[in-house]
Amino acid sequence: MNNTALTEKHISLGAKMVPFAGYNMPVQYEGINAEHATVRKAVGVFDVSHMGEFILKGDNALDLIQRVSSNDASKLYDGKVQYAYLPNEDGGIVDDLLIYRIDEKTYMLVVNASNIEKDWNWIQKFNTQGVEMHNISDQTSLLAVQGPKAAEALQSLTDIDLASMEYYTFTKGMFAGVDNVIVSATGYTGAGGFEIYCENEHAEAVWDAVFKAGEAFNIKPIGLGARDTLRLEMGFCLYGNDIDDTTSPIEAGLGWVTKFTKAFTNSEALLAEKEAGVKRRLIGFEMIDRGIPRHDYEIVDAAGNVIGKVTSGTQSPSLQKAIGMGYVAKEHAKEGTEIFISIRNTPIKAKVVKFPFYK
C-alpha cells in the first residue's frame, strides 16, 4: 500500500483510512454529508496526491498528444488546461485525463491513480518520435481546495490573482512560500476552487499554510467519500464506474471532447459510430420511490425487461434524494422517461433527468 506525503496528517486528524487505487487514502473525517456541505457552501481540502502526472517534452510532444488523445490540444495556449480521454483501439477508453500546456514544447498530463502504469505504457507505445517522457507521479503532491470561498481563503498565500483566474487555466508561481507551484482553476466537485501541485517535500508545509490561511473561512479536510458524492451531483464520469476499457466515449456523452478535425487512435471507428447513431446512452436519473441505486444494479422498463445498468448511485446530500447514472437503450434515454431500478429484485421507480443533478 502506497502512502501520500500527507498520510500521517490524515491519521492525526482522525480520518478513516481505506485502500484506494493502491494508496492508503482518507475516505472521511467528520462524515460524508457534513464534508459535502462544507465544499458546497464554504471551502474544503482534499489530498488527491494519488493522481498521476506525466511531463511530455520536445518538438514532437504536441504531435504525440494529438495522436493519443481525443480532444484538439493544438487549441491550447500556455497556462490553459483541457479535458480529454485516451481512446483504445477497440472502441473503449484507456483513461480520461487533463492536459496542461506549460509551453509550446512542454505539457503535463494528469491521469487517474489506478491507471498510471497502464496510461504510461499506452502513451509510450505511440512515442515513435523521441518525445521526452517523465513520470513525476511519485514526486508530486496534489491538493484540491474546493468551494465558493476557496479564492478568498487562499489569496493571502500567493501573488497570483486567484479570483480572476478563468476556469481550466493555471499559473506557475510562488504559493505558501514555495516556488514553482502549479495553481490550477480546476476541480472535480462543481463547487469552484483550485488544485495545487507541489513537490512532496513541500506538501506538509503547503497543507499547514492552507489550513492556517483558511481558518477564518472554517476550512476543513475532506475525504474521498464526499469527493464521490460531489462529482456525482455534477454528472462527472468516474473511470472504472461510468467509463472504462469497454465503454464507448460517444455513448458516454464525451462527444464534446472528441474532435474529428484530426486523426487519433480509433478516430475513424468512433466517427462511424457517431454518424450511425449509438444504441445506448449514459443517462442521469433520480429516484421517485425510496431506494438507493448502486453500481451494477439492473435498470428495467415497466414490463420488467432489462434495458440497462447503473454505473454510479448515491443519496445526494445537496438534493436530499437518491440519484444515479447508468447506460440504457437509447429509446429510454429521453429526459422525463420513467424507468425502474431493480433493488433486491424489486423494481423501484425513477425518471431520467438532465445533467447536472445539482444546479
Side-chain angles (χ1 to χ4, degrees):
M1 190 70 65
N2 296 306
N3 289 321
T4 75
L6 295 162
T7 298
E8 292 307 318
K9 277 269 180 228
H10 306 311
I11 292 167
S12 72
L13 289 166
K16 181 185 176 189
M17 305 296 286
V18 297
F20 182 82
Y23 283 80
N24 190 20
M25 298 298 288
V27 69
Q28 62 179 54
Y29 299 84
E30 60 174 324
I32 290 172
N33 287 357
E35 291 168 35
H36 182 108
T38 292
V39 175
R40 281 275 178 257
K41 295 172 186 162
V43 57
V45 186
F46 303 81
D47 174 15
V48 282
S49 306
H50 60 319
M51 298 291 282
E53 295 86 13
F54 307 153
I55 300 293
L56 272 56
K57 285 175 95 156
D59 293 342
N60 297 308
L62 175 60
D63 176 71
L64 174 57
I65 289 166
Q66 290 288 70
R67 284 187 290 130
V68 299
S69 78
S70 63
N71 210 333
D72 185 0
S74 73
K75 297 281 195 273
L76 290 170
Y77 49 84
D78 295 0
K80 182 66 179 157
V81 189
Q82 185 179 74
Y83 177 66
Y85 62 88
L86 305 172
N88 64 23
E89 288 157 324
D90 308 310
I93 301 168
V94 178
D95 201 6
D96 61 338
L97 76 164
L98 295 181
I99 302 166
Y100 284 63
R101 175 167 147 156
I102 294 165
D103 62 45
E104 196 184 349
K105 296 181 181 181
T106 314
Y107 295 81
M108 180 171 76
L109 310 184
V110 182
V111 302
N112 283 301
S114 52
N115 292 335
I116 293 171
E117 191 182 350
K118 179 176 84 160
D119 292 358
W120 176 266
N121 293 339
W122 180 260
I123 297 165
Q124 193 69 270
K125 184 173 100 164
F126 293 90
N127 186 12
T128 51
Q129 294 174 294
V131 174
E132 216 182 296
M133 288 177 58
H134 302 276
N135 182 354
I136 60 165
S137 308
D138 288 345
Q139 295 99 62
T140 307
S141 289
L142 173 56
L143 300 187
V145 184
Q146 298 282 293
K149 294 183 181 171
E152 283 177 278
L154 298 179
Q155 190 58 70
S156 65
L157 299 174
T158 184
D159 290 338
I160 300 163
D161 183 2
L162 298 176
S164 71
M165 277 182 77
E166 288 177 19
Y167 191 44
Y168 267 60
T169 63
F170 71 95
T171 305
K172 216 175 196 184
M174 185 75 80
F175 183 89
V178 179
D179 204 10
N180 236 7
V181 173
I182 287 178
V183 179
S184 174
T186 50
Y188 192 48
T189 64
F194 303 89
E195 294 185 300
I196 298 155
Y197 298 82
C198 65
E199 291 175 354
N200 287 345
E201 63 202 76
H202 303 300
E204 279 207 35
V206 169
W207 174 277
D208 290 343
V210 163
F211 276 89
K212 194 165 188 346
E215 254 174 22
F217 302 91
N218 202 22
I219 199 167
K220 288 181 178 175
I222 313 293
L224 293 182
R227 184 171 156 90
D228 193 50
T229 55
L230 288 156
R231 71 93 195 166
L232 187 44
E233 286 185 347
M234 301 312 296
F236 294 155
C237 288
L238 174 65
Y239 194 90
N241 276 46
D242 313 299
I243 52 174
D244 61 32
D245 287 300
T246 67
T247 52
S248 154
I250 309 301
E251 291 179 349
L254 296 178
W256 66 285
V257 290
T258 309
K259 299 294 160 50
F260 296 111
T261 48
K262 57 161 201 170
F264 58 87
T265 315
N266 208 39
S267 55
E268 285 182 15
L270 290 172
L271 180 58
E273 183 186 6
K274 184 188 176 186
E275 286 173 347
V278 295
K279 293 187 173 65
R280 58 177 203 156
R281 288 193 183 283
L282 183 65
I283 55 144
F285 62 86
E286 58 184 43
M287 301 303 295
I288 294 169
D289 294 336
R290 278 176 69 91
I292 310 274
R294 299 289 183 206
H295 180 70
D296 270 352
Y297 281 10
E298 286 181 339
I299 303 174
V300 299
D301 64 14
N305 302 305
V306 177
I307 55 168
K309 197 167 262 193
V310 176
T311 55
S312 291
T314 195
Q315 175 73 14
S316 160
S318 303
L319 304 173
Q320 295 293 299
K321 61 174 76 163
I323 58 171
M325 295 164 70
Y327 288 92
V328 296
K330 72 171 182 191
E331 56 270 25
H332 300 278
K334 199 163 172 262
E335 188 184 355
T337 302
E338 189 175 272
I339 57 173
F340 297 82
I341 312 304
S342 181
I343 303 178
R344 287 182 288 280
N345 294 325
T346 305
I348 308 294
K349 194 184 289 187
K351 72 171 177 187
V352 178
V353 296
K354 258 193 179 152
F355 295 126
F357 300 98
Y358 177 80
K359 299 187 173 59

